[in-house]
Amino acid sequence: MHKIKVYDIEIEVESKPIKNMHLSVYPPDARVHISMPDYLTDEDAKSFVLQKLEWLRTQIDEVLAQPRQTKRQFVSGESHYLFGQRYQLIVEELPHYVNSMELKGNKNLYVR
């Protein structure tokens, strides 16, 4: 995998045995990736990106505008997601060196 630049957009290029080009924008930092058939060149990729430039800029703006989860401190009272469910974290310090995690009820996640 290597990178190309089209205007101010840096794009990861991956060549592989596929039939069509695929252009994607990934959160959280709006990383742009293009997968293309291995018989095409970087010039073909640049041409494809230029055709999709307006769509690409819109996607980048949307990804960057998405709200992100705040940085976690792992203290009691924070909410965390586990297997798609939201739990309130309860941190308990124990005198010995045993690490454990336990779900109690529908809402609490105990970490020792």
Side-chain angles (χ1 to χ4, degrees):
M1 191 167 9
H2 62 281
K3 295 185 179 186
I4 60 173
K5 195 160 188 157
V6 177
Y7 292 115
D8 58 333
I9 303 171
E10 192 171 276
I11 304 164
E12 296 176 347
V13 178
E14 181 178 9
S15 295
K16 52 188 182 179
I18 57 176
K19 291 183 180 182
N20 300 310
M21 284 191 184
H22 304 279
L23 184 61
S24 305
V25 180
Y26 295 104
D29 56 353
R31 177 177 56 92
V32 180
H33 180 90
I34 188 168
S35 297
M36 65 181 194
D38 47 12
Y39 58 85
L40 294 178
T41 66
D42 286 352
E43 291 305 315
D44 295 324
K46 287 180 183 179
S47 175
F48 182 75
V49 169
L50 287 172
Q51 292 174 10
K52 305 288 184 184
L53 194 59
E54 186 177 329
W55 174 86
L56 183 58
R57 289 191 189 278
T58 303
Q59 294 300 308
I60 290 171
D61 291 343
E62 285 180 11
V63 166
L64 292 175
Q66 289 175 351
R68 297 281 161 230
Q69 199 172 27
T70 58
K71 195 80 168 165
R72 299 293 180 214
Q73 296 175 333
F74 298 96
V75 295
S76 290
E78 284 184 336
S79 62
H80 290 265
Y81 286 90
L82 180 66
F83 306 121
Q85 294 283 345
R86 183 176 168 186
Y87 294 96
Q88 182 177 6
L89 183 67
I90 299 171
V91 178
E92 296 176 344
E93 289 192 37
L94 297 177
H96 53 283
Y97 297 103
V98 175
N99 296 323
S100 69
M101 179 183 82
E102 183 180 344
L103 295 175
K104 286 191 178 176
N106 287 344
K107 302 286 183 187
N108 295 330
L109 171 64
Y110 287 83
V111 179
R112 293 180 182 91

